Amino acid sequence: MTDPAASEPDAETLLRLIETFEHELQRFHGRVLSPDDRVAVSELRELWSKLVDALISPLDRVRTCASCKRSHLRTGPRCVYCWHRFDAAAALGAQNM
């Protein structure tokens, strides 16, 4: 028997998958020509955004330090355990998800 928890993706993997899906939705919206279809895709994107905010949003507030590999809340420019400085561009990118 396999452990069900072992097959679950970690927070960073989930965030990457969400980001990829959102990117594909955006690309799809740009390819749709019919105004009615654009409205339907916009509504789908809005519903997806609400779902992510409701279920996955807490994951966005957690980050893993590349230096000590510990996870903690996204509170500042440094790891709260080892004081490793986070990359500013990466931190801004993660906040804009």
Side-chain angles (χ1 to χ4, degrees):
M1 266 187 163
T2 60
D3 180 17
S7 64
E8 293 179 12
D10 63 353
E12 289 182 32
T13 301
L14 285 173
L15 291 173
R16 279 194 306 270
L17 288 170
I18 289 168
E19 192 175 271
T20 301
F21 187 82
E22 288 173 345
H23 177 74
E24 291 302 318
L25 271 177
Q26 184 176 5
R27 287 181 58 213
F28 182 65
H29 183 266
R31 292 179 181 168
V32 175
L33 299 176
S34 163
D36 290 336
D37 291 341
R38 279 187 180 261
V39 169
V41 172
S42 293
E43 289 172 355
L44 178 63
R45 288 176 66 195
E46 184 177 329
L47 183 59
W48 172 255
S49 179
K50 288 179 182 178
L51 177 67
V52 168
D53 286 346
L55 299 176
I56 309 298
S57 163
L59 296 176
D60 187 37
R61 293 189 292 247
V62 176
R63 69 173 150 201
T64 302
C65 176
S67 180
C68 70
K69 308 293 187 225
R70 292 172 120 176
S71 296
H72 57 88
L73 291 177
R74 202 178 289 276
T75 56
R78 294 187 180 269
C79 174
V80 297
Y81 298 104
C82 71
W83 287 82
H84 172 79
R85 181 173 278 287
F86 294 114
D87 178 22
L92 286 174
Q95 290 175 352
N96 293 332
M97 278 203 277

